[in-house]
Amino acid sequence: MLTEVSPTRGGDALVTALADRGYATIIAPQPPDRDYRTVIACRTPAQQVHSPVLVTPHRAPAARVTVGGHDIGVVGLYVPSHGPKAHRNVAKRAFQDAVTKALPQLGAAFPGMPVIVAGDLNVIERGHQPPHSDASPRSPPDRARTTSHAHDHLSPGRRPALGSFSADAKEVPHPCPQPDLLPPTFDSPEETTP
């Protein structure tokens, strides 16, 4: 799942590179204007499904993916967060409302299979401390606190995921293997994925 993919030649080059690197299915809907999009790339067979999100569906592609002989539904999301503040907030609310309406329909879109909804939700809860400023990018310690507070709220007592930080902005080690300990990927056409 890739979000914030440009509709320009750079985004198209990324999609081409994914195909060149062995991704069997790439779902990369083109927006009607110069808006970002979400891309689903799979090394296994997949079939594009009509997105149940009717507002800016290029930000919410859907697919039926076959993994290990089992079908799963996948919906990618990229919630609007750029542009002039007045337009951005209107676009974000319209997209959130469309997603809220679409979520109960996922069972019909993907009958009898589990569904994964993933992406960039661009969410900071009301009253978040420290307050988020639209005027400038947050510093790494502020970003760390945002990640930590959101994690603590959603998963009390559980360890944070990779890239998370403690409340005092110290990096917290990830409990899963680091990338150098993971099995290699297969890049040549002669090799097959596990």
Side-chain angles (χ1 to χ4, degrees):
M1 186 78 53
L2 294 93
T3 62
E4 296 189 60
V5 177
S6 168
T8 63
R9 290 188 314 215
D12 293 341
L14 174 63
V15 169
T16 299
L18 289 168
D20 291 346
R21 298 292 286 191
Y23 286 86
T25 306
I26 300 168
I27 298 167
Q30 282 291 346
D33 53 15
R34 292 184 54 87
D35 192 15
Y36 289 109
R37 58 189 164 154
T38 300
V39 173
I40 298 173
C42 306
R43 289 193 185 265
T44 62
Q47 176 184 12
Q48 185 169 2
V49 173
H50 178 73
S51 176
V53 179
L54 302 180
V55 173
T56 57
H58 56 277
R59 288 176 172 260
R64 179 176 293 118
V65 180
T66 303
V67 178
H70 301 280
D71 287 340
I72 59 170
V74 176
V75 178
L77 296 177
Y78 172 48
V79 177
S81 65
H82 295 292
K85 188 173 183 178
H87 174 72
R88 176 183 65 231
N89 290 340
V90 169
K92 187 172 189 172
R93 174 55 64 198
F95 187 81
Q96 288 172 329
D97 289 346
V99 170
T100 300
K101 184 176 180 181
L103 288 176
Q105 301 171 17
L106 292 180
F110 301 104
M113 66 185 78
V115 178
I116 298 170
V117 177
D120 184 350
L121 304 182
N122 284 317
V123 176
I124 296 178
E125 68 276 7
R126 184 184 306 263
H128 184 270
Q129 293 299 319
H132 174 63
S133 168
D134 286 330
S136 64
R138 292 175 283 165
S139 66
D142 286 346
R143 188 177 313 117
R145 283 190 216 103
T146 300
T147 303
S148 177
H149 289 302
H151 178 272
D152 292 345
H153 173 72
L154 296 172
S155 304
R158 294 190 58 205
R159 289 188 65 156
L162 182 63
S164 294
F165 296 79
S166 65
D168 61 354
K170 293 181 181 170
E171 188 162 10
V172 176
H174 191 272
C176 294
Q178 297 303 306
D180 60 328
L181 300 176
L182 298 175
T185 59
F186 298 93
D187 294 328
S188 71
E190 298 81 39
E191 297 174 306
T192 57
T193 57

